Amino acid sequence: MGDAVDQYLAVVAIDPGSPEAHARLGLVLYRAGRPEEALRAVERALEIDPAHPQALYERGVILLRGLDRPVPAARTLRRYLEAAPFGAHRSDARALIRDADRLASETVG
């Protein structure tokens, strides 16, 4: 996994304005067990393009599964569905929103 991180770091260095590169870096970092760094990478992608669907989806996953933050995760995944109503991750996003809402209600109640 370290090779993939290094490759995406090189891509980001070459094209720092690419939201796609930052989003992919975030995914690789998340899969490498580095959720805080992953979140920073996808947030950089969203600074460049606030409606970037892949970055929104990955941010939601990282917040929910990597950082146990269900409320902002659900909010971000809803933004993903608004940005990409026919996106590749729409059914997964809906399921993740249900999980996030359930976890948030368990925390409150």
Side-chain angles (χ1 to χ4, degrees), residues 16-74:
S18 168
E20 185 69 26
H22 288 280
R24 297 289 180 167
L25 174 60
L27 175 62
V28 171
L29 287 165
Y30 170 70
R31 288 184 177 168
R34 297 160 60 179
E36 294 87 5
E37 292 173 77
L39 183 61
R40 284 193 296 275
V42 297
E43 287 181 343
R44 177 64 186 124
L46 292 168
E47 287 173 10
I48 297 165
D49 179 358
H52 191 275
Q54 190 66 32
L56 287 168
Y57 177 75
E58 290 167 12
R59 183 176 191 273
V61 170
I62 293 163
L63 286 168
L64 182 62
R65 300 290 187 229
L67 298 172
D68 193 31
R69 294 173 52 196
V71 173

Side-chain angles (χ1 to χ4, degrees), residues 23 46 49-61 72-97:
L46 292 168
D49 179 358
H52 191 275
Q54 190 66 32
L56 287 168
Y57 177 75
E58 290 167 12
R59 183 176 191 273
V61 170
R75 189 177 319 120
T76 300
L77 290 163
R78 286 185 176 95
R79 284 180 51 210
Y80 164 77
L81 290 173
E82 291 171 10
F86 302 104
H89 303 293
R90 68 183 175 272
S91 61
D92 290 338
R94 288 185 189 115
L96 289 166
I97 290 168

